[in-house]
Amino acid sequence: MRIRSLLAAATTSVAMLAAHISPVGASTAVSWKSCPTYSDEVIRNLGVAPDQLATFRALMNRLDCGTVRVPLNYDDPGGRKIEIAVTRLAATGHRRGSVAVLPGGPGGSGYLDPILRVMLRNQELASLNEQYDVIGFDPRGVGYSSKVACELPMNGPDKPGPLTEAMARKIYDAQVAVNQRCGNSDPEFIGQLTTDTVRKDVNQVRAALGDRTLNLLGLSWGTYLGAAYRSLFPAHTGRVFLDSPAPPWTRFDRHIEESAAAMEQNFGRFAAWLADRDATYGLGSTARQVREQVLKLVKAYDTNPRLYSDLPRPIDGSVIANLAGRTSAEWARAGQALSELVTATGPTAPPTVKQLVGGQPPAPLPGAPEMQNMTMNLAVTCNEDSSRPSFEKAWRDYQKLQRRLPVTGRAWGTTALCSSWPLPPQQATLRRTNGSLILAAHLYEFMSVYDWSRQTRRAIGGTLYTVADDAHVSTTRVPDCAAEVVSYFETGHIDRGCPGVQQPG
């Protein structure tokens, strides 16, 4: 038994060592080329403030843009190749290495992250570029990298009010049809849209850039990618900071269940905040009274949904639940909207309600970069989701969620996103390794639940860094916290946490 264990350990060590020595089928270097050019309208649409337009253009003039050729399938390194789009802002001072920004999603673009998520975020974070090249990239399936497109129509309720079993069945059947079409449209490519392949792409990028190790700044889904990269390539991993860590598992049903529970819990903080401001919002002088008032609104608007002439969809209980589930940065406006809906009579929507729920997503501008690819999002999610429930299971879970979470439960759909996905489940293996790792967990967040960071730490190690807010990936946005992030990359040391985004006064 001991001999077999030693042989198994030796085999594993050799396999891991082989994975760390040289990338498979790697490009010898990045193929550098001219960067895209954008109109002022496109730049503003990316969220760049008017007074930052000149800075954005100056940074674009500094940005290096290129591609790295990688295998589509790492089990067939001599086969079909695809391109990964890469960007680099070279260090302005004495260079200590590279920090790669790992984008959210899955399906989020990271091509402009060196500018949008680092240099324009705040002065504190921008100082990272003094000693480090800042690297961005579009994961396979996104933006300027090789990609495919599935037709993904919106599958939502066709009438307002509580979700009925018949309506849920209709949505389920439509999603199954979408999944079958998408998964079978180009299974050779779609089947390779996984965290496992993206982490190998990142290692190819590292090698093409000529870096022995890569420091990682992971955001949202990028935290799971960062944990996966560190697990497979520890010898090529430097310091790692993961903001709003994902859990060490990829079941979609569990993700919905735990995120929804965290949203309902955070509403308790919102209710107490509203109660302290009863003179302003009139929803109750105690958290319990506020909760009862919001429950009344959910039921009233589900019983009698209201259509306002200047809104694209009726207001029902799901809209009330969505307002109740907002994070603290939006409490003032969400509280005002809830207050307006208590007495609203129409025919037009109350002003704050219109601001928060009346907007339609703008049409893509000509020449604009793709910031989110929903085919990649669906493919990665479903390639890695082993739950894939039957309709009966998904409907039972949805009913349980509504009973457990009466205030905000209506903001969530069923767990059937990946039902009947035709490709086999593939989850990246995570391992505990040595090396510096910071898990920046947000105490009240629901998009990345605080306990997920504890679970990830148990799975792969690292240090928990607590951010006392409910804001997703806020650590780099808050100047004091961002300064600690930069100090960590420079020194390897960091405090135990930071305040994060503060509640509105």
Side-chain angles (χ1 to χ4, degrees), residues 242-297:
L242 305 181
D243 194 7
S244 291
W249 40 263
T250 54
R251 284 186 65 102
F252 186 73
D253 57 353
R254 184 176 175 186
H255 194 286
I256 291 291
E257 178 184 354
E258 296 187 10
S259 287
M263 176 186 277
E264 184 92 357
Q265 186 174 15
N266 197 42
F267 170 73
R269 297 174 62 238
F270 186 18
W273 185 89
L274 289 168
D276 288 342
R277 294 156 180 80
D278 187 39
T280 300
Y281 300 104
L283 295 170
S285 59
T286 67
R288 182 172 181 175
Q289 289 175 354
V290 172
R291 176 183 171 84
E292 290 172 351
Q293 178 63 61
V294 174
L295 277 172
K296 288 180 183 177
L297 282 174

Side-chain angles (χ1 to χ4, degrees), residues 53-205:
L53 279 174
T55 303
F56 180 91
R57 291 201 176 280
L59 290 167
M60 285 296 300
N61 288 335
R62 282 185 51 211
L63 192 69
D64 299 318
C65 301
T67 57
V68 176
R69 283 175 60 80
V70 303
L72 172 63
N73 185 341
Y74 283 90
D75 290 334
D76 182 19
R80 180 177 169 187
K81 300 294 192 294
I82 61 173
E83 291 191 337
I84 305 300
V86 180
T87 55
R88 177 180 65 190
L89 272 179
T92 59
H94 177 69
R95 182 183 184 275
R96 300 180 59 177
S98 296
V99 174
V101 184
L102 308 181
S109 168
Y111 193 77
L112 294 176
D113 277 358
I115 296 177
L116 297 178
R117 292 191 178 273
V118 177
M119 300 306 293
L120 295 185
R121 188 68 92 192
N122 47 60
Q123 290 181 346
E124 289 77 6
L125 194 62
S127 68
L128 183 68
N129 191 220
E130 294 172 8
Q131 298 185 52
Y132 292 94
D133 295 352
V134 181
I135 309 301
F137 74 105
D138 276 340
R140 58 171 63 201
V142 181
Y144 297 111
S145 292
S146 300
K147 58 186 178 181
V148 294
C150 293
E151 184 179 350
L152 303 176
M154 296 296 291
N155 293 324
D158 53 14
K159 62 180 180 180
L163 185 66
T164 64
E165 184 173 0
M167 193 183 305
R169 168 68 80 173
K170 183 177 179 181
I171 295 170
Y172 178 90
D173 290 343
Q175 187 64 50
V176 165
V178 166
N179 292 346
Q180 290 284 330
R181 283 198 307 271
C182 185
N184 289 317
S185 61
D186 185 354
E188 182 186 15
F189 194 105
I190 294 287
Q192 296 301 319
L193 294 177
T194 66
T195 306
D196 181 54
T197 52
V198 175
R199 67 177 169 178
K200 294 171 183 174
D201 293 343
V202 172
N203 196 49
Q204 301 276 47
V205 169

